[in-house]
Structure formats: C-alpha cells, structure tokens
Amino acid sequence: MTITPTAALEEVVVTVTGGRPLSGRIPVQGSKNIALHLYAAALLADAPVVLTAAPDILDTPVCAQILAHTGAHVAVDGGRFTVTPAPAAAICPIIHPELGRRVRTTVVLAAAVLARTGRADFPYPGGDAFCPRLIDRHLEAMQAAGAEVIADATGIRARCGPRGVRAFTADMATPYGPSLGATVTAMLLAARAPGTSLITHPSIEPEVTTTAQFLAERGVGIHFDDHGLHVSGSRDLAGGAFTVPGDRIEAATMIMAAAATGGSIHLDGLTTAAFPDGLTTALSAAGISLTDDASGGVRTEPASPLQGIEAATGPHPALPTDTAPQLAAMLTQARGSSLIAERVYPRRDTHVEGLRAFGADISSTGSVVGLRGPTRLRPATVAAADIRAVTALLIAALTAEGTSTIRGVYHLRRGYGHLLANLATLGADITTTSEDS
C-alpha cells in the first residue's frame, strides 16, 4: 500500500463551469469522521476486525499504514478495512511520526496503543487547521489512566507503570462543549483498563456513540447515564464485522450543493434519522424539505427561492460545525440576511475570503459569519486549506455562471472519496487537471 505524496495532490486543480441545477441519484459514503475513530478502536481487538463501508478517502490508507507500523496486518479492499492487530507484546508503541501528522485522530490512535502496551510515542496531530484545536483533554485522560505524559517540540511520550492503564475518572468538558475526540480517547483507554472508568460530560456525537457500540459488541461493558459514560474494561476484545454508518456530513454537503444550484437529489445509504435536529431545522428554515423514500434513501425538495436563516453550530444534536462552511455557500443564494454562529470552535471562517472572491456579500466578526443574498456569483480562482472550506468554494463554483478554478484538492480528497464524480453524475461540469500541464 502506498500513499500519494501531499505535494503531488496539491498540483491538481479542479475546473468547474457552473450555473447548472444538480439533479439525480447518488450513494453516500461511509462516514469519514466515524471511520477514523473505528480504525483506532480496531487496534484494541484480539482477533481480526472487518469494517465495511469504509470511505475511499486519503485518510483511510494513511490510517492503514499507521496501524501497519504498529505491527497490525491491514488490508484495504474496496470498502472493506480489515485489521488483524498484533499481540500486545509484539506491538510497536510508536505512531509513525510523518504519517501521524497527516490525520486529526493521531492522539486517538496513540490511546489505543497505550491501552494495549502501556506506552505510546506520537507526533502532534495534523488534519484541518481552521483554528487552534487543543489536545489537552486527550492528554489529561491518558494521565488519569496512569500514564506519565511528556511533551516536547517533536511530539509526545506517554508511559504507564508495569500494570498498564488503570480505571479512572476524566472530564470531557471544554468551554465549547464536550470534546468529541477526547471522549473517544478516554473510551479506548478505559476499554482495556481493569475495573470501571467514568467519563463525565462526554460527547454524544455519532462518532462517540458508534464507537461505543463497536466496543460493546467486542465485549466491553459500556453505558451512558446522568453521571456520564461508564466503561468496564475487558482483558479480551472480540473481533468481527462492523459497518460504518453513512456520512451525514457528505450527505448535507450534497443537499446544500443541489439547493444552491436550484436542483433536487436522491441520496442512497442513509435515512433522515441520520441527520441531527439542528441540521434539519436549519435546512427546513431555508426552505429545504427532506423525505425518506420508499425505495430507500433520502429525497430533497428545495424551495425557490431559498430563505435566509439564523443558525448556530453546537454539540450533537445541534447543527454540525462541519456543515457550517457549506451552509454559508448555499445561503449566498438565499433571500435576505443570514447569520451562522460558531459554538464548537473559537471561530470557523477560512471559507469567507474565498466566497467573497465569488462576489458573495459575506463577513466574519469573531465567531459569527454574516451574509446577505441572493447574490449572483461570478467565476473565481480560489484555494482553501481545509476540507469543509474547499467544499464551500466548490458549491460557490457550481452556482456561479462561468468557469472557476479551485486549488486545495488534497483537502477535498481527505474528506470525500467520490464527491467530484458524484457531482458529475448529478450534471456538474467538472474537470481536474495538473497545474504543470
């Protein structure tokens, strides 16, 4: 298995000739964010794990190589991600220093290694850098589980005593709500710790609840109550098959792209129950209805024209922060004023400058993005440095009449396996070329 170098991927430019309504039927990939946490959780098992519906994204082979570096046997075949973890005594307790800087779940992967071996060396995580994203809650969970944690300029070392991780209590609260990633880190540590651990103020995002379901099916005692998340560790975790749920973020992206262009689509691979209330409320307020189809999947019927809305991101079941940039791109076509407040991170506005290049009437003040529309967008040449921002610019390009170019495809492919192909299926005029050609 090989990974395409980042530099080569960044040489690819997407050319979009917009102004065409998107319509048709496409499948939804397995959830990127859920899959990345399950890849880490699979390292805890004592027998082979097969994850089906694994998304065909760049982070999947990166994680496969990280797992292989620990000594696991990993095979990626289509949508099947098969992991046979090494016995604890044979695990290499080092997260590959280069590969670990390419994904956001580096600390979660390290937590699985620490839970199995009592030690882990790992680099600082990579992933999108649209704002400072702290890992203090992750490291506090490791310390609570009995590890000495030492950080320096090159990375982090965690060491437990001879008995390995121990049962613990750890708090996941942050000023912006519960930490999703740190909740998974704590769960993985607790899954191998003798006794029962308590995770207070846990995140209840689907990434967490799905990982909890995965661990429960492997034999870990796990349940939520008013006190938090209780995890009773197990000496032996079973293998077996587990299906990655459909990607609610990709589905929302496609819905917003279709609505921005005045089209309607049918999505296979999930139902309306997969969407959090905050997302469906925002879409409904803008004039977009979602319906479960008798033949399976979800149908969309956008209003004409779209209406401006006020919305705020937040922990599940609020509006997902990973949909905010795409929502802003769609709302450039909505009548009246719109406001999107960011309540998960200090701010999220790396898409604003790019949308402004398309002619959008958009501004950012602190954690709030404001828009006025509808705006007849013009073609532009833009670039973005994170997954959801580049997707927002793609939606703008699909809406603008004329030909636009977008750089930052590396980030797009980290989150969406077949987004460009799916858009072409829906009628988009999209080509990819090398900047050198």
Side-chain angles (χ1 to χ4, degrees):
M1 182 186 302
T2 59
I3 299 173
T4 307
T6 301
L9 288 162
E10 289 178 338
E11 293 174 356
V12 175
V13 175
V14 175
T15 303
V16 181
T17 300
R20 301 181 178 187
L22 302 180
S23 62
R25 186 170 187 162
I26 55 171
V28 174
Q29 70 179 15
S31 170
K32 164 200 177 278
N33 290 337
I34 292 175
L36 296 184
H37 291 92
L38 292 176
Y39 298 157
L43 279 178
L44 297 182
D46 293 288
V49 169
V50 180
L51 299 173
T52 58
D56 182 20
I57 58 175
L58 292 180
D59 282 5
T60 289
V62 172
C63 287
Q65 286 202 351
I66 291 173
L67 267 60
H69 186 260
T70 70
H73 180 271
V74 186
V76 181
D77 182 12
R80 290 172 62 88
F81 189 100
T82 303
V83 182
T84 304
I91 293 175
C92 172
I94 300 172
I95 301 300
H96 192 285
E98 177 187 349
L99 298 175
R101 287 192 292 268
R102 296 196 189 183
V103 293
R104 185 64 204 164
T105 51
T106 306
V107 191
V108 182
L109 291 157
V113 171
L114 181 64
R116 291 295 307 278
T117 69
R119 56 180 293 185
D121 295 358
F122 53 101
Y124 292 98
D128 290 341
F130 49 82
C131 74
R133 302 175 71 180
L134 304 180
I135 60 171
D136 55 321
R137 291 294 186 274
H138 295 262
L139 303 185
E140 289 169 9
M142 292 180 177
Q143 291 171 324
E148 178 185 21
V149 177
I150 301 174
D152 60 28
T154 62
I156 300 167
R157 291 182 296 126
R159 298 286 187 275
C160 291
R163 295 187 178 181
V165 292
R166 67 190 182 206
F168 60 91
T169 297
D171 188 3
M172 299 296 106
T174 80
Y176 300 96
S179 171
L180 183 165
T183 303
V184 178
T185 284
M187 276 199 298
L188 300 192
L189 293 168
R192 279 286 184 172
T196 299
S197 298
L198 174 62
I199 303 168
T200 59
H201 302 104
S203 167
I204 57 169
E205 297 284 345
E207 289 76 8
V208 172
T209 57
T210 304
T211 303
Q213 179 187 350
F214 172 86
L215 293 174
E217 291 183 11
R218 312 274 82 74
V220 177
I222 189 163
H223 72 277
F224 293 84
D225 65 16
D226 291 342
H227 299 287
L229 175 57
H230 303 259
V231 183
S232 297
S234 175
R235 288 181 174 272
D236 299 296
L237 269 66
F242 192 88
T243 300
V244 180
D247 195 318
R248 66 196 187 281
I249 306 300
E250 184 196 39
T253 299
M254 301 304 296
I255 290 168
M256 293 174 188
T261 63
S264 60
I265 58 174
H266 187 293
L267 300 170
D268 289 323
L270 79 177
T271 65
T272 55
F275 297 115
D277 292 343
L279 176 60
T280 54
T281 298
L283 292 175
S284 177
I288 302 168
S289 64
L290 306 178
T291 306
D292 287 318
D293 193 274
S295 63
V298 175
R299 288 187 295 107
T300 73
E301 295 295 339
S304 181
L306 293 167
Q307 300 298 318
I309 64 171
E310 293 188 11
T313 68
H316 188 78
L319 178 70
T321 180
D322 278 354
T323 65
Q326 305 93 300
L327 179 61
M330 183 193 80
L331 290 173
T332 65
Q333 302 308 296
R335 177 185 293 172
S337 299
S338 294
L339 292 174
I340 305 172
E342 177 57 42
R343 302 278 172 77
V344 175
Y345 297 109
R347 62 189 303 146
R348 188 161 195 167
D349 58 2
T350 53
H351 55 291
V352 168
E353 182 179 354
L355 290 179
R356 197 177 289 129
F358 282 98
D361 183 355
I362 184 170
S363 61
S364 175
T365 304
S367 61
V368 178
V369 171
L371 305 98
R372 285 192 62 83
T375 303
R376 185 168 182 171
L377 300 183
R378 58 177 178 263
T381 297
V382 291
D386 65 82
I387 296 171
R388 311 307 174 183
V390 73
T391 312
L393 302 187
L394 181 59
I395 292 174
L398 291 164
T399 305
E401 293 188 8
T403 301
S404 301
T405 57
I406 304 174
R407 292 173 174 81
V409 180
Y410 165 68
H411 301 285
L412 190 70
R413 284 285 290 114
R414 282 188 50 241
Y416 303 91
H418 302 285
L419 181 63
L420 298 181
N422 283 338
L423 289 171
T425 297
L426 297 175
D429 184 348
I430 297 178
T431 60
T432 57
T433 58
S434 169
E435 285 189 286
D436 295 331
S437 61

